[in-house]
């Protein structure tokens, strides 16, 4: 379905984004890889030499970066058919133990840049009457998480935005899908927390399975994809519990810090 098309993937230098790049390349899809670590992106571009790959270095915490990325695709003369807003990070720290720069950085990368890129790239997709946008949210979107409040709120924003845009853009031929992974084995958890809880470690999914679930959901035109039976159940259960229980439970499981 994506053979011969072009996908732009943010956060392609590691984890879920790098796995999506590999799977799309295997399906014959050309790529534009975006992240801060250029050497990682260059290495991935060399690995995926069967398709056309361009690399754009960008720090998406910079409010000007999304526009610069869009303009660079025009300079490169590349039409973006599939936008994958995957770049993101989260600190597992209480509100007051993080600097305002780190708190707002999560919002800038996880939400602001995603929104700006979505707006820039969907405009030509709507004109063409075809396009795909995959926004990487999280199961955290269903849980206010004491101890990880900003990250969870940023992912809730991504989920709500994606669900609304799924309906808003449906008639124009543009598919918008939110991918909501649970714990996934990537570099994310080493940044989010210093020490991984053993029970949480066991529940982690491999990044390639999460990437595949997201791409399949996008191709099937789904609004929301939650990979893994355990995480689907977790999300379903929130509907039947009082909100305060959900918040406390999330804080005790996901918001713990040493
Ligand atoms: N792993 C999990 O348990 C989990 C669970 C739910 C949701 N997610 C979400 O999945 C997405 C991918 O994360 P991952 O698990 O694959 O973690 P990862 O291996 O740490 O990958 C994160 C990617 O985001 C990029 N990134 C971070 N800050 C950036 C910035 N300021 N500018 C540009 N790129 C930036 C990183 O590239 P550079 O460092 O090279 O810039 C990297 O390529 C994130 O949105 C994350 O919130 C992860």
């Amino acid at each position: 379905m994506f053979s011969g098309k072009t996908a732009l993937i943010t956060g392609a230098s590691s984890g879920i984004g790098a796995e999506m790049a590999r799977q799309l390349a295997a399906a014959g899809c050309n790529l534009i890889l975006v992240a801060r670590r250029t050497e990682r992106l260059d290495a991935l571009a060399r690995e995926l030499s069967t398709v056309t790959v361009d690399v754009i270095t960008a720090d998406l915490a910079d409010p000007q970066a999304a526009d610069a990325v869009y303009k660079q695709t025009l300079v490169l003369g590349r039409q973006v058919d599939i936008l994958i807003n995957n770049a993101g990070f989260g600190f597992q720290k209480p509100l007051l133990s993080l600097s305002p720069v780190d708190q707002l950085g999560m919002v800038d990368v996880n939400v602001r840049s995603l929104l700006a890129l979505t707006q820039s790239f969907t405009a030509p997709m709507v004109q063409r009457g075809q396009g795909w946008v995959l926004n990487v949210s999280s199961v955290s979107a269903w849980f206010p998480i004491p101890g990880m409040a900003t990250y969870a709120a940023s992912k809730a924003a991504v989920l709500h935005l994606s669900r609304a845009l799924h309906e808003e853009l449906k008639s124009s031929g543009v598919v918008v899908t939110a991918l909501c992974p649970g714990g996934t084995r990537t570099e994310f958890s080493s940044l989010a927390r210093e020490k991984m809880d053993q029970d949480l470690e066991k529940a982690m999914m491999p990044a390639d399975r999460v990437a595949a679930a997201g791409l399949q959901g996008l191709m099937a035109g789904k609004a929301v994809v939650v990979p893994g039976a355990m995480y689907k159940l977790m999300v379903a259960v929130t509907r039947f519990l009082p909100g305060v229980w959900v918040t406390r439970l999330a804080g005790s499981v996901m918001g713990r810090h040493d």
Side-chain angles (χ1 to χ4, degrees):
M1 183 176 190
F2 291 155
S3 177
K5 302 214 176 301
T6 296
L8 183 144
I9 308 174
T10 68
S13 59
S14 65
I16 298 167
E19 286 304 326
M20 284 183 182
R22 291 189 178 97
Q23 292 174 20
L24 284 167
C29 181
N30 301 310
L31 299 167
I32 303 170
L33 308 176
V34 181
R36 290 168 300 181
R37 288 172 293 178
T38 315
E39 66 294 348
R40 292 265 200 123
L41 298 178
D42 285 340
L44 188 57
R46 286 194 294 277
E47 179 190 324
L48 306 178
S49 58
T50 53
V51 292
T52 304
V53 187
D54 279 308
V55 162
I56 298 178
T57 304
D59 181 352
L60 294 171
D62 176 349
Q64 315 299 328
D67 192 43
V69 168
Y70 176 68
K71 287 185 175 141
Q72 220 167 320
T73 61
L74 299 181
V75 171
L76 290 166
R78 307 285 305 276
Q79 172 181 305
V80 172
D81 306 295
I82 304 140
L83 170 66
I84 302 184
N85 283 308
N86 162 76
F89 72 98
F91 289 111
Q92 191 192 30
K93 292 262 166 67
L95 180 77
L96 298 180
S97 67
L98 269 186
S99 72
V101 170
D102 284 338
Q103 293 284 4
L104 291 171
M106 280 185 268
V107 178
D108 285 338
V109 176
N110 300 358
V111 184
R112 185 192 173 114
S113 74
L114 175 146
L115 175 57
L117 289 167
T118 300
Q119 195 158 23
S120 294
F121 284 105
T122 50
M125 289 179 191
V126 167
Q127 274 176 3
R128 294 193 296 270
Q130 190 183 54
W132 294 265
V133 179
L134 182 58
N135 289 331
V136 181
S137 173
S138 166
V139 289
S140 307
W142 276 271
F143 298 89
I145 309 179
M148 211 175 179
T150 307
Y151 176 74
S154 75
K155 291 300 181 179
V158 172
L159 177 61
H160 281 240
L161 188 68
S162 305
R163 275 179 155 164
L165 291 180
H166 179 88
E167 290 302 320
E168 192 175 313
L169 295 174
K170 204 180 225 170
S171 59
S172 68
V174 177
V175 174
V176 180
T177 300
L179 170 62
C180 302
T184 309
R185 258 173 239 111
T186 65
E187 294 171 18
F188 174 87
S189 48
S190 51
L191 178 68
R193 61 181 81 200
E194 284 90 34
K195 205 157 63 82
M196 174 60 66
D197 191 293
Q198 280 203 335
D199 293 338
L200 287 182
E201 171 64 42
K202 276 187 216 143
M204 296 287 239
M205 288 182 67
D208 58 348
R209 265 186 62 199
V210 171
L215 293 175
Q216 278 158 20
L218 182 68
M219 286 190 275
K222 290 193 175 165
V224 180
V225 177
V226 179
M230 189 188 81
Y231 292 112
K232 280 188 183 68
L233 182 67
M234 231 170 98
V235 164
V237 161
T238 60
R239 283 190 216 123
F240 305 104
L241 295 177
V244 68
W245 289 16
V246 172
T247 306
R248 286 183 190 155
L249 193 69
S252 67
V253 177
M254 294 185 272
R256 267 182 297 181
H257 44 86
D258 303 313

